[in-house]
Amino acid sequence: MTQTATDTELFLSTTRAFLDRHATLAQQRTLHAEDRTVDAAFWRQAAELGWTGLLVPEDLGGGSVSGSGLHDVAAVAEQIGHTIAPGPLQPVSTVLAGLVDAGNRLEHADTIDALVAGEKVATWAVDEPGRPFDPQRTTLTATATSGGYVLDGVKDRVEAGAQADLALVTARASDGLRQFLVPTDAGGVTVHPQRSLDLVKRYGRIEFASVAVDASAAVGSAVQTPALVERQSHVAMLLQCAETVGMLDAVLSMTIDWARDRYSFGRPLGSYQAIKHRLADMTMWLHACRGATARAVDQVAARADDAGLWVSAAKSYLGEHAGPMVQDCVQLHGGIGVTWEHDLHLFLRRITLYRNLFGTPSEHHQAIYRHVRSGGPAA
C-alpha cells in the first residue's frame, strides 16, 4: 500500500470515527427536537479535520490527502451519508470551488481562510423560485454603478441560507453572467427560512432589494464566470450523489441485517427466494450508483470535456433508483419500517429531498440527450 493510500485510509477512518461519535442518528433526532440544524462546534471540528480545505490549494491554506481534493471531499460526503450528518459541506465546498478557480482569488483570500477554518459559512445562491435548475441563466440582475453593482432579485432553496454568513450569488449583468460574494446581513438582503423534508437540513429564500456591493465582491471575470458556475454545479451535484451512495449503503446494510435476524414461520426472512431476489436487485443498484458516481468524480477531477455528461448520468440514475430502493427496504421491514421510531425514514427524507435539487432526473436525461446529439456540453 502506498503512503498516499495509507494517508487516505487514515483520513477516512478518522472521519468515520468523528461522525460515529458526533453525528449519530440519535443526535439528528435531538437536533430536530430542539429545532436546530448543526452545532457551530461540530462544524469547527469538521474544519479542523480538513473537510473544508480539500478543494483549496496549499498556497491558499488548504490541501488534499490523496492528491485529488475532489476525490477526498466526495469520500467525506459518502461517509456523511452513512449517518445523514448535518453540516454545510456541500454549499461551503461549492463556494470554495468557485473562489479558488477565480482569476481574482487572491482578493478573496481572507474569505477562503475563514471558510477553511470553519469560522464562517458560505452558501451558493443559484436556484430561483418557479424555475427549473439552470445555473447558467438567472433573472437576478446586477446593475453596474460607479463603485460596484446593485443586485435585485430572489434566490430560492438556498442550503443553510438562514445560517450562512455569506452567499455566492449568480446574477445577470450587462456583460453576461456574473457571481458576487454578498454578506447575508447586508442592507437590502432578506432571508426567509425554509423547512424541508429532512430533519436537520434547512434552506432559505433570499431576497435582494437594491443591494449595493463593491466591485471587489465579484468572483471571477465576465469571461470566466460561466466556466466557474459549471464547475460549481458539478461539485454540488457530485457531493449530493456521493452522500446518496453512503445513505444507500447504510440502508441496504440495515435491511440485510434485518432479513438475517427476523424470523418468519421459523426461518430467517432472508432465506426466502423472493426476498433474496429483491436484496440482489438492490445490491446491483447500489453498485451501479457507486460506479456512476465514481466515474463522474474521475471526469470532473480531470476537468474532462465530457464531465457534464457523466455528472448528469450519475444524478439521473441516482434520482431514479435511490428513492425506490429505500422504499423497498421500508417494505421489507414490515410494519416497523413505517414508524417514526425506526430510522429508515430519516434516510428516505434526505434522499427524497435530494432527488429534485440541482435538477430532476428528467432534466438530466434531457442534458444527456443534448450532449449526445450535439457532441457538446451536457449542461
Side-chain angles (χ1 to χ4, degrees), residues 315-340:
K315 184 71 170 68
S316 60
Y317 189 86
L318 268 70
E320 287 182 320
H321 290 86
M325 179 174 163
V326 181
Q327 291 281 12
D328 265 5
C329 290
V330 170
Q331 293 299 320
L332 289 175
H333 275 76
I336 190 66
V338 296
T339 63
W340 173 266

Side-chain angles (χ1 to χ4, degrees), residues 151-167:
L151 307 182
D152 288 281
V154 180
K155 295 297 182 178
D156 201 25
R157 301 179 296 280
V158 180
E159 184 174 348
Q163 293 76 39
D165 303 289
L166 300 163

Side-chain angles (χ1 to χ4, degrees), residues 6-318:
T6 302
D7 290 343
T8 300
E9 181 56 37
L10 177 61
F11 173 68
L12 290 180
S13 65
T14 303
T15 295
R16 284 193 294 269
F18 173 72
L19 290 169
D20 288 343
R21 182 175 181 180
H22 299 288
T24 64
L25 295 176
Q27 287 166 323
Q28 317 313 342
R29 289 178 178 272
T30 299
L31 286 173
H32 172 71
E34 297 173 353
D35 197 24
R36 294 188 296 129
T37 58
V38 62
D39 288 320
F42 170 86
W43 186 242
R44 284 194 298 270
Q45 286 179 284
E48 290 173 2
L49 288 177
W51 294 7
T52 51
L54 296 171
L55 296 180
V56 179
E58 291 184 7
D59 61 337
L60 289 174
S64 63
V65 180
S66 68
S68 173
L70 188 61
H71 283 86
D72 293 340
V73 75
V76 171
E78 183 172 341
Q79 294 303 318
I80 285 175
H82 282 93
T83 62
I84 49 172
L89 178 72
Q90 187 184 105
V92 169
S93 298
T94 302
V95 171
L96 283 170
L99 292 178
V100 300
D101 274 4
N104 63 342
R105 58 184 172 275
L106 294 181
E107 297 176 20
H108 298 290
D110 289 344
T111 297
I112 294 172
D113 285 343
L115 295 178
V116 170
E119 296 169 357
K120 289 186 177 180
V121 171
T123 187
W124 192 32
V126 62
D127 234 331
E128 296 184 353
R131 303 183 68 211
F133 179 70
D134 191 347
Q136 298 290 341
R137 295 180 176 83
T138 175
T139 62
L140 190 144
T141 59
T143 305
T145 64
S146 58
Y149 295 85
V150 173
L151 307 182
D152 288 281
V154 180
K155 295 297 182 178
D156 201 25
R157 301 179 296 280
V158 180
E159 184 174 348
Q163 293 76 39
D165 303 289
L166 300 163
L168 182 58
V169 184
T170 56
R172 180 64 56 183
S174 59
D175 53 356
L177 183 66
R178 302 299 303 272
Q179 289 195 113
F180 301 92
L181 203 55
V182 183
T184 53
D185 61 356
V189 176
T190 305
V191 182
H192 300 281
Q194 294 175 315
R195 304 188 73 86
S196 72
L197 282 173
D198 192 86
L199 293 190
V200 295
K201 287 278 186 180
R202 296 289 185 273
Y203 293 79
R205 178 187 176 100
I206 306 180
E207 298 177 356
F208 299 84
S210 299
V211 178
V213 297
D214 294 335
S216 61
V219 175
S221 64
V223 173
Q224 190 182 27
T225 298
L228 292 177
V229 169
E230 181 180 46
R231 175 77 174 177
Q232 291 165 216
S233 300
H234 292 167
V235 170
M237 286 185 269
L238 285 180
L239 294 185
Q240 185 187 93
C241 288
E243 187 179 336
T244 300
V245 169
M247 288 188 274
L248 294 178
D249 191 13
V251 167
L252 183 57
S253 296
M254 190 184 303
T255 305
I256 290 174
D257 289 343
W258 171 261
R260 287 172 177 161
D261 297 338
R262 175 68 172 175
Y263 274 67
S264 175
F265 299 104
R267 295 171 53 187
L269 190 64
S271 68
Y272 291 94
Q273 194 71 16
I275 303 300
K276 290 180 180 178
H277 288 167
R278 293 179 73 176
L279 293 174
D281 286 343
M282 288 189 285
T283 300
M284 178 189 68
W285 294 342
L286 171 61
H287 288 318
C289 288
R290 177 173 279 121
T293 299
R295 176 63 171 172
V297 171
D298 288 344
Q299 295 304 94
V300 174
R303 298 180 186 267
D305 291 339
D306 64 349
L309 170 67
W310 284 99
V311 171
S312 286
K315 184 71 170 68
S316 60
Y317 189 86
L318 268 70

